[in-house]
Amino acid sequence: MLPNFTDLLIKHRWIWHLGFWCLYGASRAYSYYITVLYYERVYLEFMLLTDAGLAVLVYATLWLYRRFCSAQQYRIYFAISIPLWLIFIGGVISFQKYYLSSIPDIVNALWIDIYLNNMSKYIALFVVMTMGKYFKDNYISQYYEKEKKYLQSQSELQNLKAQISPHFLFNTMNNFYGLAVDQSTKLPELMVRLSELLRYSLYETNHAKVPLSNEIAYLNNYIALEKIRLEDTLDFEFDLSGAEYQSIEIAPLLLVVFVENAFKHARNVTNDVIRIKISLSIGADGVLHFEVKNNCVDAEKTIENQPKGIGLENVKKRLEAIYPDDLHQLVITTSGHNFSIKLQIHLK
């Protein structure tokens, strides 16, 4: 089955670069053809060297575009890029005078005349390259925006199913019944936690982003309810560190998928202490570092038996749509009876 063309353009950025250089090569093909047929070898060497220098200039300009235009600092981009290209043109003319010094036509021509003759060609290339980059970024941005809206509309019920599953509620209510019979003082607090859990899932997750502090509170409520049935056999850690969470926002119900996954694995552990370790921190650069480790019966089989469309598969798609490209990194590691995930998200 042939891959979708749009997917190729989104997931394989080298196609854009290949297209650009093919167009440039096509525009230069006739010049190279004439040079090879009718001019001395030194002309060809000069053309190859200057085109190699141009390739360096193009990628330096693309770096400037990503650095400034991504932050909507267009004036700075043009203020740096245009002089850089004008200086490059001057460098090419000076190099031409030196490298082709044995050719009278080059030696006798005025430097400024050669400069002006070449300037329009290079500036046109700069404009085409900048417009192409702008078009490409907008094309990809619109694609991810549509994908994000689609996933958001399609995943609301899936999120509820994945995060507050009937099985989880059934176990929780059974545990509540046991606590009620024993007249445990824990029951009121846990009922409040369940109420908060349901309220958050039903109402707060309609927003594209929520405060990270709310998401952490949701995790704590979920963990408290899951720990009821595992108290005697659970070795659990939850480490929080880093910057203040109140001013930082995140897409809702991303992190809890991994926590739920750890507790799901824990249900299958027999004859051993259940070990779950969670760490969450925010760097000064606004990068979220989230890690979940747990033991399980067989890590490889755990991955194979993971239902498709919810859980890990669903959260991978949401991460790609909401935090595309270099904005997130997810690493899932399986080793014997150990399972771990490491997630980094650029939230600022």
Side-chain angles (χ1 to χ4, degrees):
M1 183 177 179
L2 291 175
N4 184 281
F5 182 68
T6 300
D7 289 342
L8 284 175
L9 292 178
I10 298 299
K11 296 176 182 178
H12 301 283
R13 306 295 178 83
W14 59 266
I15 294 176
W16 296 88
H17 295 264
L18 179 63
F20 173 83
W21 289 115
C22 284
L23 288 174
Y24 178 76
S27 70
R28 295 278 283 163
Y30 184 73
S31 297
Y32 272 100
Y33 174 74
I34 295 299
T35 300
V36 170
L37 284 183
Y38 302 110
Y39 288 86
E40 298 177 28
R41 179 189 175 92
V42 69
Y43 274 103
L44 179 62
E45 293 174 354
F46 169 76
M47 291 174 68
L48 290 171
L49 289 171
T50 53
D51 278 343
L54 178 66
V56 174
L57 177 65
V58 165
Y59 284 102
T61 307
L62 289 175
W63 181 88
L64 290 171
Y65 188 99
R66 288 192 295 270
R67 172 68 177 81
F68 296 108
C69 291
S70 297
Q72 297 185 338
Q73 296 174 316
Y74 300 106
R75 291 182 180 179
I76 298 177
Y77 167 71
F78 285 109
I80 297 176
S81 298
I82 292 176
L84 184 64
W85 278 69
L86 294 176
I87 292 169
F88 175 79
I89 298 168
V92 168
I93 305 308
S94 298
F95 179 64
Q96 184 182 32
K97 285 277 190 181
Y98 165 75
Y99 202 78
L100 303 179
S101 58
S102 61
I103 300 170
D105 289 344
I106 299 297
V107 174
N108 296 330
L110 293 176
W111 189 94
I112 189 63
D113 288 340
I114 301 175
Y115 187 94
L116 293 174
N117 287 335
N118 283 272
M119 187 172 67
S120 59
K121 176 184 72 175
Y122 283 104
I123 293 300
L125 181 62
F126 167 76
V127 171
V128 169
M129 186 204 70
T130 300
M131 290 178 64
K133 175 66 174 169
Y134 178 82
F135 168 78
K136 186 196 84 169
D137 286 357
N138 273 273
Y139 178 85
I140 293 173
S141 177
Q142 289 175 13
Y143 172 89
Y144 279 118
E145 187 64 28
K146 289 179 182 177
E147 186 76 3
K148 181 168 67 174
K149 289 179 179 178
Y150 172 78
L151 285 174
Q152 188 171 357
S153 64
Q154 293 295 315
S155 65
E156 287 178 359
L157 291 177
Q158 286 185 335
N159 282 332
L160 283 176
K161 183 179 178 182
Q163 315 318 324
I164 309 295
S165 65
H167 188 263
F168 167 75
L169 290 174
F170 178 77
N171 284 340
T172 300
M173 297 311 294
N174 273 343
N175 289 323
F176 281 3
Y177 175 78
L179 293 172
V181 169
D182 295 337
Q183 297 184 344
S184 172
T185 57
K186 296 179 181 179
L187 185 58
E189 179 194 350
L190 293 173
M191 291 184 70
V192 170
R193 286 184 180 271
L194 179 59
S195 175
E196 286 296 312
L197 203 69
L198 293 171
R199 182 193 63 80
Y200 185 86
S201 297
L202 290 171
Y203 301 113
E204 298 298 323
T205 56
N206 291 328
H207 304 291
K209 299 287 179 66
V210 296
L212 181 57
S213 56
N214 291 1
E215 192 75 0
I216 293 171
Y218 180 85
L219 289 180
N220 282 323
N221 287 331
Y222 182 89
I223 290 165
L225 293 171
E226 282 282 18
K227 285 169 67 177
I228 302 172
R229 63 185 174 82
L230 300 172
E231 267 187 344
D232 297 333
T233 58
L234 181 64
D235 179 7
F236 183 83
E237 294 181 42
F238 189 5
D239 297 327
L240 289 171
S241 61
E244 293 294 325
Y245 303 112
Q246 283 73 14
S247 61
I248 298 175
E249 293 189 329
I250 188 173
L253 296 179
L254 282 178
L255 305 182
V256 73
V257 175
F258 304 108
V259 176
E260 183 196 23
N261 204 53
F263 279 102
K264 277 183 179 178
H265 295 175
R267 295 189 189 112
N268 300 321
V269 175
T270 56
N271 305 326
D272 196 4
V273 174
I274 296 165
R275 298 181 179 86
I276 300 175
K277 182 176 181 181
I278 303 170
S279 62
L280 188 153
S281 64
I282 293 286
D285 54 358
V287 177
L288 168 77
H289 299 270
F290 185 65
E291 184 173 2
V292 181
K293 297 180 180 178
N294 62 273
N295 59 341
C296 55
V297 176
D298 189 315
E300 295 294 336
K301 288 182 179 178
T302 298
I303 288 289
E304 292 174 5
N305 295 331
Q306 182 68 32
K308 301 295 181 183
I310 61 174
L312 290 179
E313 290 300 318
N314 185 37
V315 79
K316 285 178 184 177
K317 291 178 181 178
R318 293 186 68 209
L319 283 167
E320 286 293 337
I322 302 169
Y323 302 102
D325 301 328
D326 298 331
L327 293 180
H328 88 277
Q329 182 180 19
L330 174 63
V331 178
I332 299 175
T333 305
T334 60
S335 177
H337 296 283
N338 296 295
F339 182 93
S340 70
I341 71 98
K342 291 183 179 179
L343 175 64
Q344 293 184 11
I345 306 177
H346 292 259
L347 297 178
K348 286 187 177 180

